[in-house]
Every structure is written in C-alpha cells, then in structure tokens.
Amino acid sequence: MRCAILGLVAGAALLQNQASLWPMPILLLLLLLSLISFVFTCKLDHVAIRVACCLLGGAIAGFAWAGLYAHYHLSHELPKEWEGRDVTLVGTVDSLPSSMEQGVRFNFAVETVVEPQDAAKAIPPRLALSWYTAFRPEELQAVGKVLPGERWQLTVRLRRPHGNANPYGFDYEVWLLEQNLRATGYVRPDANTRHKNQRLDTFVVSPRSIVERSRGWLRERILDALPDKDYAGVIVALVIGDQRSVNQSDWQVFNRSGVGHLISISGLHITMIAGLFSALAFSLWRRSFFTDLDLPLLLPAQKAAALAGGCIALMYVSLAGFGVPAQRTLYMLSVVALALWVGRISAVSHVLCTALGLVVLLDPWAVLWPGFWLSFGAVGILLYATVGRAQSHSMAQQTCMGKTFLSLKAASHTQYVVTIGLVPLTMLLFGQVSLISPIANAIAIPLVSFVVTPLSLAGSVLPSPLSAWVLGCAHLIIESLAGVLAWMSAFPSAVWTAPLSSWPAFMAALIGTLWMLAPRGWPVRWLGVAGLVPLLIARPTHPDDGQAWVTAFDVGQGTALLIETPHRRLLYDTGPAYSSESDGGNRVILPYLKARGIDTLDAMIVSHSDNDHSGGALSILREIEVKKLMSSLPASHSIVTQSSQHEHCLAGQQWEWDGMQFEMLHPSVENYDNAKLKPNGRSCTLRIAIGSQSILLAGDIEAPQETDLLRLRGEELRSTVLLAPHHGSGTSSTKAFLNAVQPQLALFQVGYRNRYHHPKTEVFERYASLGIERVRSDDAGAVSIVFNGNNNGDAVTWKEYRKEHARYWYGH
C-alpha cells in the first residue's frame, strides 16, 4: 500500500508537468487498468516484483486521476467570447473577503444569471471578484460591506484566468485552477449598469458559509480587540490561518529566522489543541462527567477521547482553510483515531502514507506547492532519523532531573534532524537556509505553540473586556518575540543563500543528508557533509565571454528587463506597483534574482516616474545592493533619496562592460528644462551594442522624441531588438522611427486585456508590415534573449516562457 501511494504522488506530479492533457477516455482506461493491476499484484509472491508493480500501478493511477480532476475543473472555463462583457448575477459570497486600499476581494458562488440569459451556460460556478472604490477616476462608487454567506445581485465584467508567467515566479493561473475559480473580474458601478448592485439575503446556510462566516467573526473580534496593533495580523493567522494581514516586512524577519511555518495554523498547533481536548474528554468521560451514567460501559473512554480530538481537529483545520500542513495533520490524526476505534495499531509510516495519499487524491495540485514537500518531508525525515535510536533510560527516568535531561535531549535531536534534513529541499525550493533557525525555533516553538496560540484562541471567543486582555497578552509576547527575531535576522550571516540547486546537486545533498542522519551504527556518518558541499557553494550562472543575456519580465502592464554581461548586471525599469505591499519588484524581479543567487546589481535604470516603470524600485533597493541608480526622476523623489548613488540619465553618457558598449540616447538637458514635458518624454533611452548586435530600450518615448532621435542619430539607431516605445501605444512607433531602427525582434511588455488597449492594433500591424518579429508578454510570458556577439550563426536567439515551460492550464 505504501509503495502504491508513493507511486500515486509521483504520477500526479508527472501530470502537473504536462503541456497538454490526455483525452478523458484514455485517462479513464488507464485508471481502470491500474485498478485491475492492483488486484493481480496482491497475488505476486516475489517481493521486488510486487513493489515495482505497486509503484508503477500507483503512478498510472495518480497520472490518470490528476488528469481527470483537471479536465473537470477546466470544463468550467469562461469562454473567450464572454470576456469583457457585463453580466448580472445572483450568488453568494463563499470566502473570507480580503480588504485592500482600492476596495475588497472575495470569491463568489454563482446561483443564477439575471442578464443576459444566454450567458447562463457560459459563466463558471465560482468567480474571483474585486469590488473597487474607483477602478477609474471617473467611476467613484461605494463598495458594499461584503460578508461570507451573503446573497448578492452584482453586475460584473469577467475575464479568463491569467497571471504573470516568469521563471521562479508564483503561478497564479494554476492556483486559480486548484481553487476551481475559472474566471476573475470586477463589480461594475451602478451608474453604468441596468441592475443595481444589492444585497438580497444576509445569510444563506451552507457548510462553507458557516465556516467562512465564523472565520470572519473571529477575525473582526481580534482586530477590534487589537486596534492599530502591529502584530494583530499574526494573531489572526494563528487563529484562522488568514495570513493576508501580516506585513511583508514581518514576513521577511520570520522567513530569515526560519520560523515562518509557525505563523499560521500549523500541524503542531492542531496536534496540540486536539491532544488537549482529547485528554480533557478522556478524563471527563472516565468520570462520566461526574454523574451516575457509567458512560465508559457504553463507549470506552479511549474511543470517546479519539472522537473528541478528531472533531476538534476538523474544526480547527476548517478555520485554517484546509492548507496542506493542516490537511496532513488532520488525516494523520484521523487515521490514528480510526485505528483505535477498530482495534488495530497502525505503524507511523502507514499513517503518514495514508495522509499523503488522501491529500493528493483530494487536491492533485498540492504537489506543486513547497508546503506540501516541506510538510511531509519534515515528518518523513524524522521517521527515518529516529529508527534504531530507542535506548533504555530506566536509570535516568528515576529522577526528575533525568526526565528533564531526556526531554531536552529529544527536543534538541528533533530540531537538529529537521534543520539538517530539510536543507536539500529548502535549497531546491528557496535557494536559502536560515542559519539561526535552530536557535530561533528553540525560542519560538514553545512560546508560539504553547503560550501564544492557546491565548489567541481563548481570547478570540471570550467575552469583552476579558478577550481584549487575553489577546493583548498574546500580542505582547508576539511583539517581544518579533523584536528578538528581528535582532537575530539582522546579522549578515543569518541566512545562507545560493542559486536554486540543480537536480544532480540536490540528489547528492539528499544522499549526504540521509547518510548523516542514518540510524545508530551506520559507518562514518560525518562523511555525509561532503554531499552538501556542491549545493551550498553553487555560484550564479553568467553569460560566456562575448555573450549577453536579456530577460524581459512579464510584470503585467509595465516594463522590467535584466541585462547581463559576463561580469555585470543592469536592471532597466522595475515594473508597476500593484498595491501598497505588492509590486513588480517583490513579486517578480526579486524572486528571480534570489533564485539565480544574484544579490547585487551594478546599475539600475528607472526610465521615468510613471508607476508601471518605477513601482517596484523601492522594493529592490530595500532588498539587494544596487551600486548605482540612473533615472530621469527629480532629486526629491523617494526612489532617488533611497539610493546610495544617483545620476541623471543624459544623452551622450557612455560606458563599457565586458567589451559591450552602453550609450544613453535620451533625454537631453533641454528635456529636463522643459517643465511642460510629460514624464514619458524624459524616458531614459538606452542602446546596448553586443558585437554586431544591439538592443534599444526606448521606455515610453513618443512621436516627438522619436523625431528628435531620428534627427540627431539617424542610422545609429539601428538595433537587432527593440523594446517597443510606450508599450505600442498609438502615440509612438512611427513608421520613420521603425525604418531607422530596423529591428529583427520587437518586445511588447503589456498586461493581459489592459485598460489602455496596448499595443494598439494599427501599431502592432505596422510592425508586422515591416517584417518585424513581434513578441507580447501577455501571450509569451517572460522572454529570454541571448546575444552571441559577433557569432554569425544564431547571433540572437530568444525563448518564450509559456512555450518553454508549457503547462496544460496555459491558454485555457
């Protein structure tokens, strides 16, 4: 059974890496064949053959099951012809709403389509909606107070699921698929619709509505009791698993110190609470609740305790939103409780594998998320490392001091095993390991798990003012702990970083780790350290001599490109700011740089002040070293004041990196002196020559600036690759300018269905009429370009992320 479950996980993981889904009839046939094969496998006598057959049969079943699951979810897709059309719906709010500066976000379960009637079969059953206070300046509107379980009539404008597609970035599209949210959209203002947006019912009873309303009630109680408290969001996360209120700066501290796993409803918290209620139920049941009912004669106290613990665990996991760590713990506790009820003692490995199989059966996409592998990996490595370590401690157990010593020794060994055992996986997934994690966790685990969490749970349900006192005490402890963790994480050596490991390096590290943690009696276990060396000393990759790499990120409606020479790196623009805490810098660019092991930029250019070009700059300046900033921003701008060295872009500036020529073509002194000129007109325009090839980064210059460049530079503008000026707007990319540049490839960094309608159809076709290859980031995702200098073969090659990393959910 365990081999079959491991095969099931492998098969599901294989399916999630497919570019397209196999037809449903074939998947059904595979699933049937795998089930038949299990029947015959059970009759095999040869152990090795039976194990191999179980693994293969499980893999086929996992592949087929995950494929059928995906077919079902994709069948609810919003048809393309319904994108951008207004639809009036009636449905219920079936998630905990998330507040933002511009309004509120929530999931909406559709019940009926009011208008137009022909949309009834086209609208998916669940939608991800945003209700903005002002989607456009001229559309100011009041946003309703949305609560889980309410029934609303809303007029919405929808689009198909789409997210930014970048190497090492978060895949929003598959996350939506996992949640069965097959369309996203926003609520239209009443002034622009025939039907008024209105609440129809205050509460519609359903299991999901009850759970989500309860979560919302608890969140409001906590936030009301802790107004304007810095760590109120942490208390919320510990009680209901909603991490959205935790500040990004706090997450940085928690992650650097290695305690991020505690800032939510973790498996440890669920086990602790379930165990506490189980022990209480056992004690009361044995005493028949101090009555004469003789309850243990009706049901053994152990079974009553197991039932109570299981129910509490289910309730707590529901509050957590059924995250993978919470699911894993719930299923493991449930299997143990079931084994107790039927009178069979299960091995820990059987319990773990059963939980593993249940998670993948109920959510085949769980294998895509780091939490899945870290959660099960931690338990698995503990099981492996404790084999053969049981010892007789009868003498030590005779005294209180002996018991204390053994407890401390066991806790220390557990922390050591988890810290060392997860190094290969952590480096593979995140490219960093917290060196202060053992100390930080030794402090944080007992405080958070045994003090803060119980206080937070109690305070969230106690009546006022007692709730405020208890929650205030929990907040004080978290605040003090965060201060200690911030101090520890500020040390330069707090975190070991390296590029994301290759599979060979990961396998070597895994073997080395297993060798080090092998059971007692294994020879020279310290030799396992050698397996970690390749993974820990890996250095960032870089272009060969004469080469240059350009990565044009998919940041939505905005611009961001990374230019790499053999020994230098330059970032041109930083993408937009999506909200006060989310921008192209921390959501797209920094994850890519950290995954590559890049912690320094030799230069960063912010072409001009518009949000879609400068929005991520502050995040980058806070996180990594930027040796020099160049921009057209005024000296008082916050980006300039945060930089260590700033220089205005100015036509005529030139420098050389690794034999490659960089020249600033625009703006001029006159452009800075012209107060009437828009920021677009001052865009830093950079040309980079790599041997006989070149790339022209034109920012948001428009037709007047193009005319000036033609007059001053003429044929010097010729470039192999052109970043389309102003995202292909109707005010740029004149025919004369394109004839002068004569690019082989044009990059259009635009957002999917952006409200500016960039690139304009006539402009996009103008490029095509001149024989220029066109690549749009909303279709291609990130674009990676390689310049091979003077090589006359494939001098310039490029790859589109959505094609190179094709997945079956792209394009749906």
Side-chain angles (χ1 to χ4, degrees):
M1 177 61 73
R2 287 171 290 186
C3 292
I5 290 175
L6 293 176
L8 179 82
V9 175
L14 178 63
L15 189 280
Q16 306 309 342
N17 287 278
Q18 300 302 301
S20 60
L21 289 176
W22 292 18
M24 287 189 67
I26 295 179
L27 293 174
L28 286 169
L29 179 61
L30 286 176
L31 187 59
L32 179 61
L33 291 175
S34 67
L35 295 176
I36 294 173
S37 70
F38 284 132
V39 176
F40 289 99
T41 299
C42 295
K43 300 178 181 180
L44 295 174
D45 295 327
H46 197 286
V47 175
I49 296 177
R50 187 165 67 246
V51 168
C53 290
C54 282
L55 284 170
L56 179 61
I60 294 173
F63 185 90
W65 174 254
L68 293 170
Y69 216 88
H71 270 295
Y72 172 75
H73 278 225
L74 289 172
S75 66
H76 298 147
E77 192 86 326
L78 178 75
K80 287 186 176 182
E81 58 269 22
W82 283 96
E83 284 189 302
R85 297 175 62 179
D86 288 353
V87 182
T88 302
L89 309 170
V90 171
T92 58
V93 179
D94 75 338
S95 72
L96 187 63
S98 172
S99 298
M100 54 181 179
E101 292 179 0
Q102 305 94 337
V104 65
R105 291 192 180 98
F106 55 94
N107 295 341
F108 194 68
V110 178
E111 295 176 335
T112 58
V113 177
V114 176
E115 185 183 72
Q117 290 297 320
D118 58 341
K121 293 183 178 180
I123 304 302
R126 296 186 74 231
L127 310 172
L129 296 180
S130 299
W131 196 342
Y132 297 103
T133 55
F135 187 73
R136 293 184 175 89
E138 68 274 12
E139 292 183 350
L140 288 172
Q141 61 175 325
V143 174
K145 183 174 177 57
V146 180
L147 296 175
E150 292 180 335
R151 177 178 282 126
W152 281 80
Q153 174 181 285
L154 299 172
T155 300
V156 299
R157 181 168 292 181
L158 302 176
R159 71 176 191 176
R160 294 155 65 85
H162 191 91
N164 299 336
N166 296 280
Y168 316 116
F170 176 71
D171 196 328
Y172 182 59
E173 291 178 41
V174 75
W175 182 84
L176 289 173
L177 179 60
E178 181 184 32
Q179 305 300 315
N180 197 23
L181 297 168
R182 302 315 304 139
T184 64
Y186 61 94
V187 178
R188 297 280 286 147
D190 286 336
N192 297 347
T193 62
R194 292 181 55 199
H195 300 275
K196 184 180 179 181
N197 297 317
Q198 56 183 319
R199 183 187 295 106
L200 302 180
D201 291 297
T202 56
F203 189 70
V204 178
V205 178
S206 72
R208 181 185 288 269
S209 296
I210 293 172
V211 169
E212 295 300 327
R213 180 63 71 90
S214 300
R215 297 179 75 209
W217 177 75
L218 290 171
R219 183 174 68 177
E220 290 302 315
R221 295 201 82 230
I222 294 169
L223 296 179
D224 288 344
L226 301 171
D228 302 322
K229 295 292 186 180
D230 293 338
Y231 297 96
V234 174
I235 304 297
V236 171
L238 291 172
V239 174
I240 65 171
D242 181 15
Q243 302 175 331
R244 291 172 294 188
S245 298
V246 182
N247 293 329
Q248 288 296 320
S249 57
D250 294 331
W251 273 123
Q252 183 181 1
V253 171
F254 297 144
N255 291 331
R256 282 182 61 84
S257 57
V259 302
H261 62 99
L262 294 175
I263 312 303
S264 185
I265 300 179
S266 69
L268 179 62
H269 301 157
I270 295 167
T271 304
M272 179 194 67
I273 297 299
L276 176 64
F277 276 88
S278 180
L280 179 63
F282 180 80
S283 177
L284 293 175
W285 195 270
R286 283 185 61 190
R287 294 168 175 77
S288 298
F289 292 86
F290 302 100
T291 67
D292 297 327
L293 297 177
D294 293 328
L295 293 178
L297 298 179
L298 301 175
L299 182 69
Q302 293 90 340
K303 292 187 178 182
L307 180 62
C311 291
I312 290 298
L314 176 62
M315 183 184 304
Y316 201 16
V317 170
S318 298
L319 289 176
F322 282 91
V324 169
Q327 287 185 51
R328 183 255 301 167
T329 305
L330 174 64
Y331 300 149
M332 292 180 70
L333 292 175
S334 300
V335 171
V336 172
L338 182 61
L340 191 151
W341 266 73
V342 300
R344 298 186 62 181
I345 303 300
S346 294
V348 178
S349 60
H350 282 96
V351 174
L352 179 63
C353 281
T354 301
L356 181 66
L358 285 171
V359 169
V360 174
L361 282 175
L362 296 175
D363 181 9
W365 293 283
V367 298
L368 294 174
W369 310 117
F372 173 86
W373 300 103
L374 291 173
S375 178
F376 283 101
V379 179
I381 201 70
L382 277 174
L383 289 178
Y384 170 80
T386 53
V387 173
R389 294 186 183 272
Q391 301 179 35
S392 175
H393 299 295
S394 56
M395 294 299 293
Q397 292 173 354
Q398 299 299 318
T399 66
C400 179
M401 182 176 294
K403 292 180 180 179
T404 302
F405 171 76
L406 291 177
S407 298
L408 290 174
K409 183 178 179 181
S412 300
H413 179 255
T414 298
Q415 187 62 48
Y416 162 76
V417 167
V418 172
T419 301
I420 298 299
L422 291 182
V423 166
L425 193 56
T426 304
M427 293 298 294
L428 177 70
L429 296 172
F430 304 112
Q432 66 178 35
V433 172
S434 174
L435 299 181
I436 61 172
S437 173
I439 300 174
N441 276 283
I443 300 171
I445 287 177
L447 278 178
V448 174
S449 300
F450 301 113
V451 180
V452 176
T453 299
L455 287 175
S456 300
L457 288 169
S460 64
V461 296
L462 288 172
S464 299
L466 188 58
S467 63
W469 299 340
V470 174
L471 289 172
C473 183
H475 184 274
L476 179 63
I477 298 172
I478 281 289
E479 188 175 33
S480 303
L481 175 63
V484 174
L485 295 177
W487 173 76
M488 294 174 63
S489 64
F491 288 109
S493 57
V495 177
W496 183 279
T497 60
L500 293 188
S501 67
S502 63
W503 280 103
F506 168 73
M507 294 305 299
L510 181 61
I511 294 170
T513 301
L514 295 178
W515 191 286
M516 281 193 295
L517 300 177
R520 185 177 298 276
W522 195 264
V524 287
R525 286 179 294 175
W526 57 269
L527 284 178
V529 176
L532 294 172
V533 173
L535 182 133
L536 296 175
I537 66 171
R539 305 306 304 160
T541 56
H542 55 79
D544 295 332
D545 290 339
Q547 276 191 340
W549 297 346
V550 175
T551 303
F553 296 106
D554 179 11
V555 292
Q557 183 63 26
T559 296
L561 300 96
L562 178 68
I563 296 93
E564 300 178 74
T565 69
H567 303 101
R568 301 293 187 97
R569 295 180 178 91
L570 178 148
L571 181 66
Y572 182 88
D573 279 340
T574 61
Y578 310 120
S579 67
S580 60
E581 294 211 344
S582 174
D583 53 61
N586 57 32
R587 293 301 185 194
V588 176
I589 301 170
L590 285 172
Y592 177 86
L593 296 178
K594 291 181 178 180
R596 291 272 313 280
I598 299 171
D599 56 9
T600 302
L601 293 174
D602 295 277
M604 181 169 77
I605 296 176
V606 178
S607 64
H608 61 293
S609 60
D610 283 358
N611 169 64
D612 56 334
H613 294 253
S614 64
L618 288 176
S619 293
I620 292 168
L621 289 170
R622 283 192 292 262
E623 290 290 323
I624 64 174
E625 179 186 2
V626 178
K627 294 182 178 179
K628 183 168 75 170
L629 172 69
M630 302 180 70
S631 77
S632 60
L633 307 175
S636 59
H637 198 284
S638 58
I639 295 174
V640 175
T641 59
Q642 288 292 317
S643 64
S644 59
Q645 179 183 350
H646 176 258
E647 184 178 337
H648 267 128
C649 300
L650 196 62
Q653 292 169 330
Q654 298 185 36
W655 66 94
E656 180 182 318
W657 283 356
D658 301 322
M660 299 170 195
Q661 306 299 319
F662 292 71
E663 183 178 7
M664 196 69 66
L665 306 182
H666 185 79
S668 63
V669 174
E670 291 77 13
N671 297 133
Y672 285 109
D673 293 338
N674 185 356
K676 296 182 179 179
L677 192 64
K678 297 188 300 182
N680 286 352
R682 298 192 186 94
S683 290
C684 301
T685 302
L686 179 68
R687 184 178 183 273
I688 308 170
I690 307 103
S692 60
Q693 312 301 320
S694 57
I695 180 171
L696 181 60
L697 306 176
D700 275 1
I701 62 171
E702 298 181 333
Q705 291 77 48
E706 293 179 357
T707 301
D708 290 342
L709 287 173
L710 283 171
R711 176 174 53 81
L712 297 172
R713 296 287 180 168
E715 293 186 357
E716 296 178 13
L717 295 174
R718 184 169 299 178
S719 300
T720 316
V721 178
L722 170 66
L723 176 65
H726 202 184
H727 316 283
S729 74
T731 61
S732 59
S733 298
T734 61
K735 190 171 183 178
F737 180 75
L738 295 181
N739 282 329
V741 179
Q742 297 184 19
Q744 177 184 346
L745 172 68
L747 299 175
F748 294 83
Q749 289 191 295
V750 294
Y752 180 69
R753 294 185 59 82
N754 64 86
R755 60 194 179 107
Y756 305 104
H757 305 292
H758 291 161
K760 295 293 185 180
T761 303
E762 63 274 15
V763 173
F764 198 61
E765 292 303 320
R766 186 180 302 153
Y767 280 82
S769 66
L770 297 174
I772 302 169
E773 188 82 23
R774 303 162 298 171
V775 176
R776 301 171 50 138
S777 60
D778 56 345
D779 288 336
V783 181
S784 302
I785 307 172
V786 175
F787 290 87
N788 289 307
N790 292 314
N791 185 350
N792 292 323
D794 295 329
V796 178
T797 58
W798 61 87
K799 296 179 180 178
E800 302 173 20
Y801 183 75
R802 286 184 181 269
K803 290 182 179 178
E804 294 296 314
H805 186 262
R807 295 294 184 265
Y808 64 83
W809 53 84
Y810 291 157
H812 280 277

